[in-house]
Amino acid sequence: MRQAFRAAVLHCLADPGEASDATAVEYFDDGLLIIEDGFVIAAGDASRLLAQCGDDVRLHEFPGKLIVPGFIDCHVHFPQLDIIASYGEQLLDWLDRYAYPAEARFADEAYAHEVAGVFLDELLRNGTTTALVFGTVHPHSADAIFNAAEARGMRLVAGKVLMDIRCPEELQDDPVSAYADSKTLIERWHGRGRLGYAITPRFALTSSEEQLAAAGRLAKEYPDVWVHTHLAENKSEVDEIARQYPDHRSYLDVYDHFGLLRERSVFAHCLRIDNQDRSVLAAKGGAAAFCPSSNLFLGSGLFDLRAMRAANVRCGLGTDVGGGTSLSLLRTASEAYKVLHLQDQALPASRALYLATLGAAEALYLDDKIGNFAVGKEADFVILDPAGTLLSKRRTDAASSIEEKMFALIMLADDRHIAATYIAGERYEF
Ligand code: GUN
Ligand code: ZN
């Protein structure tokens, strides 16, 4: 059965850049999104498309609302849900004080499953339909998040964390078990329905050289799985890597050396890298997750989006909860605007939307499946309500263009502005 959704429709066709290139976005003030069997059939002007619709199309009307593609979170930790907003530390102390104790609780399999369900419901409540997700060191943490995603029909990529040194003993695996457990999980989950596996070394500080080499061997064996890790986030972390690996040109070069930089490698943060790293990252097909809320909250630094995109590095937004303070990619985009404004860089609403949708899909090599309303893409979408709060209603009512309206919404919106989230054409009921 065909279904049609009538409201304003906005999506990106390419990166609008700092100047908000009008040809990179498509906007239909009275728009229609037509879907069938979970895929996009058409998006365009309602008047034109309705004339082509027969009686067999079920029409859903959302006057005053805005339809956008489902948001894609390029970096988030589901086991850190319950320590979001923990006070006072920068990265390495924050890991010791908050993140590691929270992750140790995931030894309890039932707890892991409970958190996974709550976490995905929170993503969906915030309009996020796809995410690249860190688990914990426990293999059953990956089972928990994949089971929960499968039950909801979500497109999701995740993995068990690899960490065998410089962290609490109860959270350590070893190179042999890390390889074997990841391989078992790849065989079980990668390519099953809408799910994909990410080989997930936490970062170069908590993996031995033997473990990084094992991760690289696995990546070589499975060229179409993802690699997901952290890169150059915090000053003390980067200084320590330089001490550990004096013969490597850069932190990125360490990952590259072990075979962990390639297409489908996603590096969270990338704050303290240079232009040579950026060009290597781009040339080898790696991507960056821009996590502004986390970078501000943990006092890590400012992401240089202009330099990244000038070097053609694939970039998408990440919430990085629990280092980040919100699962909302709208809230995260508003932090991105401020981080870039501080560096004299522009972030028009169109580009913010790109970083949360098509850009993120490109970063994850999923842009043939999700990210906008091109014909044949999977029908993951969000109904945004500009009147989600009294203030946002007043501000958006006064807007004279979609760019102005969307910008105000990004600055003011949160989960109260997500009227509905659709996964493969199905409305998610909480
Ligand atoms: N680097 C290594 N582990 C982590 C983590 O859990 N969160 C963040 N933000 N950075 C990390
Ligand atoms: Zn992270």
Side-chain angles (χ1 to χ4, degrees):
M1 170 92 182
R2 282 197 177 192
Q3 300 191 73
F5 298 83
R6 185 175 190 175
V9 172
L10 177 67
H11 70 143
C12 294
L13 306 174
D15 181 0
E18 287 191 55
S20 192
D21 174 4
T23 65
V25 290
E26 245 183 359
Y27 176 65
F28 307 100
D29 199 32
D30 179 14
L32 200 70
L33 175 66
I34 305 176
I35 66 169
E36 186 171 7
D37 296 333
F39 294 94
V40 173
I41 298 290
D45 273 319
S47 55
R48 178 176 67 84
L49 290 174
L50 280 170
Q52 300 167 14
C53 287
D55 293 341
D56 56 334
V57 177
R58 190 187 309 157
L59 181 64
H60 309 264
E61 302 196 76
F62 297 94
K65 308 282 197 295
L66 176 63
I67 301 177
V68 295
F71 301 133
I72 301 167
D73 188 338
C74 287
H75 177 70
V76 62
H77 301 249
F78 93 88
Q80 295 175 5
L81 190 69
D82 290 338
I83 49 119
I84 189 171
S86 291
Y87 180 77
E89 308 291 359
Q90 289 215 352
L91 176 66
L92 300 180
D93 295 323
W94 177 87
L95 288 171
D96 288 336
R97 184 164 170 197
Y98 301 116
Y100 294 152
E103 294 184 23
R105 292 184 64 191
F106 281 67
D108 177 349
E109 205 168 328
Y111 176 66
H113 282 269
E114 191 256 330
V115 176
V118 173
F119 171 81
L120 291 186
D121 281 351
E122 280 303 299
L123 287 196
L124 293 166
R125 201 188 309 287
N126 281 287
T128 298
T129 48
T130 285
L132 175 59
V133 185
F134 257 68
T136 63
V137 73
H138 314 96
H140 61 241
S141 71
D143 293 318
I145 196 73
F146 283 130
N147 271 313
E150 188 171 59
R152 289 163 179 76
M154 291 174 75
R155 182 165 285 289
L156 187 118
V157 182
K160 158 214 142 53
V161 175
L162 315 184
M163 49 201 286
D164 67 339
I165 52 169
R166 282 187 227 98
C167 60
E169 216 163 297
E170 59 185 328
L171 285 174
Q172 289 182 14
D173 55 5
D174 60 67
V176 173
S177 71
Y179 174 91
D181 290 340
S182 301
K183 192 177 170 85
T184 301
L185 289 164
I186 291 170
E187 294 290 339
R188 184 177 303 149
W189 292 109
H190 185 67
R192 173 162 150 180
R194 303 185 80 194
L195 307 176
Y197 195 82
I199 300 166
T200 310
R202 178 167 217 118
F203 63 160
L205 268 191
T206 50
S207 285
S208 62
E209 296 191 36
E210 294 72 26
Q211 184 169 75
L212 292 173
R217 274 200 306 282
L218 199 55
K220 196 164 178 196
E221 248 178 273
Y222 293 96
D224 67 337
V225 306
W226 283 262
V227 174
H228 185 196
T229 189
H230 297 92
L231 172 68
E233 174 180 8
N234 173 278
K235 182 170 186 317
S236 305
E237 168 208 5
V238 174
D239 290 347
E240 188 54 38
I241 293 294
R243 270 193 293 276
Q244 301 266 333
Y245 292 97
D247 298 334
H248 287 271
R249 202 197 71 79
S250 67
Y251 194 160
L252 181 67
D253 190 49
V254 175
Y255 288 132
D256 194 12
H257 170 78
F258 288 107
L260 295 168
L261 168 55
R262 60 161 188 193
E263 294 184 358
R264 290 186 190 75
S265 294
V266 181
F267 299 93
H269 310 304
C270 305
L271 301 182
R272 297 157 196 282
I273 67 173
D274 62 13
N275 278 337
Q276 189 171 334
D277 280 335
R278 291 187 183 97
S279 52
V280 173
L281 196 49
K284 299 210 169 185
F290 173 17
C291 307
S293 143
S294 167
N295 296 159
L296 294 170
F297 184 71
L298 294 177
S300 303
L302 304 177
F303 184 86
D304 190 343
L305 182 66
R306 183 181 288 163
M308 294 297 257
R309 293 300 290 159
N312 282 320
V313 179
R314 296 160 183 260
C315 294
L317 282 177
T319 63
D320 193 30
V321 162
T325 50
S326 172
L327 286 173
S328 164
L329 281 166
L330 294 168
R331 305 270 6 94
T332 305
S334 113
E335 299 303 288
Y337 173 83
K338 297 164 201 167
V339 159
L340 295 169
H341 209 21
L342 266 174
Q343 302 173 88
D344 287 326
Q345 297 183 28
L347 184 64
S350 57
R351 193 181 220 190
L353 179 68
Y354 168 79
L355 292 173
T357 58
L358 184 61
E362 289 166 356
L364 302 185
Y365 286 79
L366 289 172
D367 51 306
D368 58 332
K369 298 185 169 65
I370 53 174
N372 66 10
F373 297 135
V375 175
K377 291 219 187 172
E378 296 166 354
D380 291 344
F381 60 95
V382 175
I383 313 275
L384 284 178
D385 182 6
T389 57
L390 183 62
L391 184 60
S392 67
K393 179 178 183 340
R394 290 178 67 89
R395 180 63 185 88
T396 54
D397 278 351
S400 56
S401 67
I402 180 59
E403 180 78 33
E404 183 185 349
K405 187 176 193 163
M406 191 66 205
F407 181 75
L409 205 49
I410 287 169
M411 291 304 121
L412 299 173
D414 54 34
D415 56 328
R416 292 170 292 181
H417 299 77
I418 307 296
T421 302
Y422 286 78
I423 308 168
E426 301 272 341
R427 185 181 177 124
Y428 188 68
E429 305 291 348
F430 293 96

